[in-house]
Amino acid sequence: MPHTAKFPLFLIPLLPFLGAAISLIFGRRMRRQSVHLVAVGSVVAACTVALIAIFGHLLGDVSLWSLRANWLMTGGEGAPRLVDAAYTWIASGSVSIPVGFVLDPLAAVMVLVVTFVGALIHIYSCGYMAGDKDYARYFGYLNLFTGAMLILVLADNLPLLFVGWEGVGLCSYLLIGFWYGKDENATAGKKAFIVNRIGDAGFLLGMLLLWAAAGTLTFSELTNPDIQAALIHKTWQLFPQAQDFTSPGKVSFLIELRPVELICVFLFVGAVGKSAQIPLYVWLPDAMAGPTPVSALIHAATMVTAGVYMVARMNMLYSLAPNILIFVAFIGAATAIFAAFIAFSQNDIKKVLAYSTVSQLGFMFAALGTGSYAAAIFHLAAHAFFKACLFMDAGVVIHALGGEQDIRAMGGLRRKLPVAHWTFLVSCLAIAGIPLFAGFFSKDMILLGTLANTFEKQAGTTMLTAGAMRTVGWILYLMLTTASMMTAFYMFRLYGLTFLGEPRTDSRVLAELHRPSSSMRWPLVVLALGATLVGVLGAPTLFAGSDGAGWLFLAGALVTAAVLVWMAFFWASDIEEEAGRDSSYVQWGLIKGPLLGAAAVMVFVGIWAAAGKSFIKIWPAAGKSFIKIWPANWLGEWLKPSLSSWPIVQVKPEFASKANPFVASHGAEAWTMALAVLLSLASIAAALWLYRKGPNQTLANLVATLRPVYKASLNKGWIDELYHLIIVRPVNFSAWLLRVAVDEFLIDKCLVTGAAWAVSVFGWISVQLQTGRVRQYIAAALVGLAVLIFLTTRSISTFDVQVSGSQVLVTAGVKGDQVLGVPEGRYRTKVGYDFNGDGKVDTWTLRPSQVVTWTYDKPGQHRIRMVVQDPRFGKKTSTEKVVTVGAGR
């Protein structure tokens, strides 16, 4: 049920664009306080408009929330969405593409992530970039980045989405190479831009093929059953072969393609480039060259999430090509393992986090590939909080240590940087999937989906058999479980080497440690709380809801709350005092208060989950309404209207609940979660045992034992070197060859310089000839006459033969030639012919142009030789031809 928004949706991306325009045009003449007021205020205003559009019913207006409530009451008829058709963008014949925006449940989640997390990153940047000379340019680019991502998210058609898609690509280039004075930064920006162009070419091809196959690029129209049926049954036949004679009138084709599968592949190529999956992931680790807040924005709220969002948005197409979804899942799982393997041995704090992002994006694509679209978006939202927090904590550490990024030169920062320490630890627990932090719920939902999900067979679609799907599910589950275990290990390796043990930093650097400003600390606290609490939005039926085992949730919530309380008081009493009055502010404002608040929320949620059934028994109306407002897997239920393909995704019978065959059983949820948690805890214990005291002999012995594996991880699998060998070097050689052969030689020397040289030579010759001396002109005329005589009285080199029966007519020269000999006198030219091949001339003639006739007695092939005597030049030449004559005349 589309409804026009009271607040125009185009304001959401427009506000950051206005902030960018002000910063980039007037920023040099503005005070820094004004610059970041405009930059931060524009993003906060965009977030406010989004909140009004989503929850405007609280103000008495129609909102997305109220539309969804009506959707539930009407039994799921007409997807709830707010629309805003700004104006017609492209109008040509029957083609009409508007600049239209749509806010549905999927876009709402993405908009809140982009604007809320983006606003925190903007606030953090005010302190991090305080000393940079290009302050205004930085915030202009940051606003531009946010606006481009919001266009991508809110677009109601693929062409407009592609505008935002290219916009974030441009902004990533500008921000990665922001400090362009260093060559490595500019090179990293170019690498990101070029690699993304490869993926964007695939995206553009997919979009054009979709237009050719479906005749529309608007998302709402692609859900039309008639269009989907046409996409399923349409086949493109290429390269016709010989006619099949067993079936009259039928022509076989070399290639037959289902366009929907080809479209999905090409669109996924675009997602692989933008979201850094194998084989186009190589740009993202190098993107760390930019300022650290830029890394947080790219990895958490923009750019890399675009590919995941696009595939989720196009779920109506991908569900028509389940085999392509399996391909997507395997690419994601392989990326998750490979990136985690590389992160094991990286020593740059930002590089570890970069490969962690690549790995986590692999989890999201694996979820998409198994039909767990909601799980992918859930993990995207949770990842935005803890990954932004991790990068911004890394920025605090780098800022404090004067630019040091090597974790081998850190250690012992737990007391020096308390806020960064505890927020980093919370985020590590979240990404490692420890109960009950955000990553625990989202990652385990993905793992369960790989095992439990299958696809319902649709008429006209091609898909794997049930047995093959079962095997595929187990393979994907094992791959992702391994990647999850590896994630816990390398993240706590990073935590141990950075914050635990004794300081390995130079004592002078520690003495002059740069403390983070309040604008850098507050965003960390908010993000850490999000990484702690946002997971309850996707609590599974095992923990929440009227049929869930809520006491398990309560137990976990109480344990989590106890840990948060312990962390608050232990860390608050174990930190070094900061300058003056900041001590109590840090302890209560940034540690005790937020952590105690988070503990209280966890206890409340646990009691709610455990009391779900009793709620309904004691207060049926209140209980039912409360469960309805916040059911199990609330985020999945919220996203369901945007995922039109969700009925196609089914639960395998062996994993289905007996009470409800459309959801996984509590037993399946319990054992998959338990196994993942146990493996993660074992990995954390191993990492802390090895790295809590920094580099040591045990670690050195282990590295020596596993040296080949360690070198492969340290050198990132030599993928960059391989690409350089098979792609970069051939391209560079081709470019050099074209430059030397075409540009420098053909164009510069031959066409440009050569033309000038020819004109110069011609002018020089003209100058030498036009001297005004009569004797020189007479000499030139005589030389010209001699040349003319020589050319017009040249020796004859060929002759013409015409055959008529047994008779041949021979003439010196070729028909049309003017053969000029000297007809009289001692210098006349003599031409003779040998017709019978005996080596003697049978006929001589003193006129070269005279026709000589000869008659043969026998038919067949005969050799005719012409002999020319030219006494003027003392030359005698001969030429032969073979002719075939017949009998008679």
Side-chain angles (χ1 to χ4, degrees), residues 498-534:
T498 304
F499 292 101
L500 302 184
E502 295 300 320
R504 298 181 295 278
T505 310
D506 188 273
S507 57
R508 289 174 297 179
V509 175
L510 286 177
E512 300 174 358
L513 201 71
H514 298 286
R515 303 287 181 180
S517 63
S518 59
S519 66
M520 295 173 66
R521 290 182 298 212
W522 270 109
L524 298 178
V525 175
V526 176
L527 289 170
L529 290 175
T532 305
L533 301 176
V534 77

Side-chain angles (χ1 to χ4, degrees), residues 194 214 217 244 418 572 607 845:
I194 292 170
L217 296 173
D244 186 356
I607 293 174
T845 176

Side-chain angles (χ1 to χ4, degrees), residues 436-519:
L436 295 166
F437 295 92
F440 164 73
F441 296 104
S442 60
K443 189 177 293 184
D444 286 310
M445 187 181 294
I446 293 173
L447 293 176
L448 179 63
T450 60
L451 277 180
N453 286 357
T454 188
F455 300 106
E456 183 183 10
K457 174 65 176 176
Q458 301 292 304
T461 60
T462 57
M463 59 180 291
L464 299 177
T465 62
M469 282 295 296
R470 192 173 293 109
T471 303
V472 164
W474 277 104
I475 294 173
L476 289 172
Y477 173 76
L478 293 175
M479 293 175 71
L480 292 179
T481 301
T482 303
S484 176
M485 181 173 61
M486 296 166 74
T487 300
F489 181 87
Y490 70 70
M491 286 306 304
F492 276 86
R493 167 185 177 267
L494 178 63
Y495 167 73
L497 289 176
T498 304
F499 292 101
L500 302 184
E502 295 300 320
R504 298 181 295 278
T505 310
D506 188 273
S507 57
R508 289 174 297 179
V509 175
L510 286 177
E512 300 174 358
L513 201 71
H514 298 286
R515 303 287 181 180
S517 63
S518 59
S519 66

Side-chain angles (χ1 to χ4, degrees), residues 109 199 287 304 403 547 596 640 686:
V109 173
V304 297
D547 62 340
L596 291 176
K640 189 176 288 185

Side-chain angles (χ1 to χ4, degrees), residues 29 44 51 88 115 161 218 230-231 275 318 366 371 441 497 515 517 525 657 660 671 746 784 792 836:
R29 294 186 292 273
V44 172
L51 288 171
T88 300
T115 56
L161 184 148
T218 302
L231 285 171
S275 295
Y318 278 92
F441 296 104
L497 289 176
R515 303 287 181 180
S517 63
V525 175
S657 170
N660 184 358
W671 76 258
L746 179 61
T792 57
N836 53 22

